Amino acid sequence: MISDPLVKTLLTNIVEDEDNLPIVEALNEGIETDEQIAEKTGIKLNIVRKILYKLYDMGLASYKRSKDPETQWFTYSWKFEKDEVINRIIKDSEDYLKMLNDELDREENNMFFICPEGHYRLVFDDASDCEFMCPECGEELEFQDNEQIISQIKEDIKMVESNFNSFTSKNKK
């Protein structure tokens, strides 16, 4: 599961560094305690705990706490929540696709004017309100042909849809 590109990207963003992915892999393999994970991965215990709590905060890991009758110390047994990872990727992908489609709609249905100094990019109505002058530097705003932007957004949508469809077909419940 962790080898899937979408899963790896999500988990890498959460664990902050690809070097911390072995923590998730160990958890996924069924290793339960933070001490065992630290021992198996060679990653410091405090980093292992930090990553486990991040996963917990995101709903991607859960734990059970038990007390050792002899030492009276608490032991935490961790579990990787694979279904939540799948749900998170599906939701994030859907949100990203919605954002891209909204952006495509905005680009296709507006004319844009830009400041030659790069200060502003305004839709026609806003540029008109400013009398086609940059509100920051006073330079005359120039029409921007946004066909390349529209084309890039369409490519991005195709790529995200392709990755999403590939992921969902592999991870149907």
Side-chain angles (χ1 to χ4, degrees), residues 96-170:
Y96 188 52
L97 278 171
K98 181 184 180 332
M99 186 270 307
L100 285 172
N101 281 303
D102 290 348
E103 185 64 23
L104 178 62
D105 184 55
R106 181 174 184 270
E107 291 292 331
E108 288 179 330
N109 294 307
N110 286 288
M111 287 184 4
F112 291 90
F113 293 84
I114 58 171
C115 168
E117 301 297 319
H119 295 127
Y120 282 91
R121 180 177 188 254
L122 303 171
V123 295
F124 178 84
D125 289 343
D126 294 338
S128 177
D129 290 345
C130 297
E131 299 176 355
F132 297 93
M133 303 299 276
C134 176
E136 187 158 325
C137 67
E139 288 287 320
E140 187 174 338
L141 298 175
E142 300 171 352
F143 173 76
Q144 180 190 38
D145 178 9
N146 64 346
E147 283 304 313
Q148 192 171 7
I149 294 170
I150 290 170
S151 178
Q152 182 61 54
I153 294 170
K154 286 179 178 179
E155 281 183 41
D156 292 348
I157 289 171
K158 282 182 190 173
M159 182 196 66
V160 172
E161 284 176 338
S162 174
N163 289 341
F164 177 73
N165 292 335
S166 172
F167 178 80
T168 53
S169 68
K170 285 189 276 185

Side-chain angles (χ1 to χ4, degrees), residues 67-85:
K67 194 175 204 180
D68 185 311
E70 288 179 27
T71 64
Q72 299 297 307
W73 287 68
F74 286 109
T75 301
Y76 293 83
S77 298
W78 291 87
K79 179 183 175 210
F80 186 58
E81 300 292 346
K82 295 175 189 155
D83 289 344
E84 290 306 314
V85 171

Side-chain angles (χ1 to χ4, degrees), residues 2 4 12 14 16 18-19 27 29 34-35 49 61 63 80 85 92 123 130-131 157 159 161 166 168 170:
I2 295 172
D4 183 285
T12 301
I14 293 168
E16 300 173 355
E18 208 168 306
D19 293 342
L27 194 58
E29 292 168 6
D34 47 5
E35 291 93 355
R49 287 180 176 153
Y63 66 84
F80 186 58
V85 171
D92 287 354
V123 295
C130 297
E131 299 176 355
I157 289 171
M159 182 196 66
E161 284 176 338
S166 172
T168 53
K170 285 189 276 185

